[in-house]
Amino acid sequence: MNKMHDCGATAWMDQVYDVVIVGAGAAGIGVGIVLSQLGVTNFVVLEGETVGASFKKWPRETRFITPSFPGQGFGALDLNAIVPDTSPGYTLATEHMSGAEYAEYLHAVAEHFDIPISEHTYVRRVDKSGEVFLLETNQGLVESRFVVWATGEFHYPEETAFQGAEVCLHSSRVASWSALAGDDYLIIGGNESGMDAAYHLIQSGKRVTVVTSGKDHLNEDDEDVDPSLTLSPFTYQRMTTVLDSGRLSIRSNMRVARVEQTGDEFLIYFDNGETWLRQTQPICATGFRGGLSVIAEHFEWSAEETVTLSSRDESTKTAGLFVVGPSVRHGNVILCFIYKFRQRFAVIAEELVNRLGIPLETSVIEYYRRNNLYLDDLTCCEVKCEC
């Protein structure tokens, strides 16, 4: 096999790994660090591009909606840190960092903890033979006793949400909002990515219409307090600064049926019978399919198109396959932000160490627990707010 790349990795070896982690984003690096701290040495992180690649592909203007602040000295972990005693806010001197900046933080912690990473190693397929996983990659076959799937969602945009979605521009394909030509844009989707796009386009002097099949989070009563279901305070605050600009229109409870392109024009058909004509390419802010779609056959899927996982985030269909990151759901508990899903790193790592028969360093688990990075009781995650 080819030589591994960066972050302390040495060389491919013809062996069966104890653990292979797929994806070198926040989730993959985070789990890798806990495994290393627990004494696991026979593991590798496979990354299709480079460390933090999905963050590097964010639009240039997009910022983290969760603030970063170095509060460890006062018992408050930075919301975007993936390991205790680190802080991207301190490292980068930025409260709401860009994707490229966060990728710098991920690379720094991976290098500091000497995590073995093979970059430019894309996993095409995962099979299981007996007790061993066979991962087919562009660099050759990799074998492992356990797999942690940590590919995230950004690389897998939802581009089939309605007929003709492929002629639209998905928000994840935009390098810079200010670089888009044209003066009048239609955004399909009114959640975080849609509102972020609207804000930056308006800041660039453009007119924007947002259509959403759900509610208008800015102008309608919103009883949801889980930030996974409503706008973050950061986005809400930014949008209030452009509400009176005269360049923003929001239409709620409107579902797109299909989009057609004729020459340089776009026809948008809605379920309510309306048809709109646009001169600029509509923008899809319709979310993401998620990386689990690559290995969908290894999971049981619910009617809501989420995977069924054990209490330790293991596939209920394929033993030894674990999931970490924004695709994880447990009933009404949605773990789609870094500050949420990072609380499961040590839970998964502890389970793997026990399965491997490695003596458990309980001090490491307690270290994560003290820093609120060990969440094994999901019944505590019912979101409530009194005022």
Side-chain angles (χ1 to χ4, degrees), residues 270-309:
F270 295 91
D271 279 354
N272 65 3
E274 292 187 42
T275 303
W276 295 2
L277 178 65
R278 292 283 162 161
Q279 305 298 320
T280 54
Q281 187 178 20
I283 294 170
C284 274
T286 47
F288 303 87
R289 294 184 293 114
L292 298 182
S293 58
V294 177
I295 53 171
E297 69 275 12
H298 288 291
F299 298 97
E300 294 178 319
W301 293 80
S302 71
E304 291 76 30
E305 297 186 354
T306 60
V307 295
T308 303
L309 301 173

Side-chain angles (χ1 to χ4, degrees), residues 47-112:
E47 166 56 45
E49 296 183 30
T50 59
V51 173
S54 61
F55 293 101
K56 296 174 187 175
K57 292 183 178 181
W58 281 11
R60 181 173 55 83
E61 298 87 353
T62 296
R63 295 293 182 269
F64 267 68
I65 59 176
T66 45
S68 283
F69 195 81
Q72 285 92 335
F74 303 93
L77 184 67
D78 189 314
L79 280 176
N80 297 305
I82 59 170
V83 62
D85 298 322
T86 71
S87 169
Y90 174 80
T91 300
L92 301 166
T94 303
E95 185 172 354
H96 290 278
M97 66 201 73
S98 67
E101 288 170 331
Y102 193 69
E104 290 181 34
Y105 162 74
L106 292 179
H107 190 278
V109 293
E111 189 172 57
H112 176 78

Side-chain angles (χ1 to χ4, degrees), residues 65 190-196 215-219 222 224-239 250 337:
I65 59 176
N191 293 319
E192 281 291 342
S193 57
M195 290 302 183
D196 183 68
K215 66 178 64 174
D216 174 356
H217 293 296
L218 292 176
N219 298 305
D222 198 342
D224 289 320
V225 294
D226 185 346
S228 299
L229 301 173
T230 188
L231 294 181
S232 67
F234 179 64
T235 299
Y236 189 94
Q237 181 184 33
R238 287 182 300 156
M239 290 305 295
I250 301 176
F337 288 130

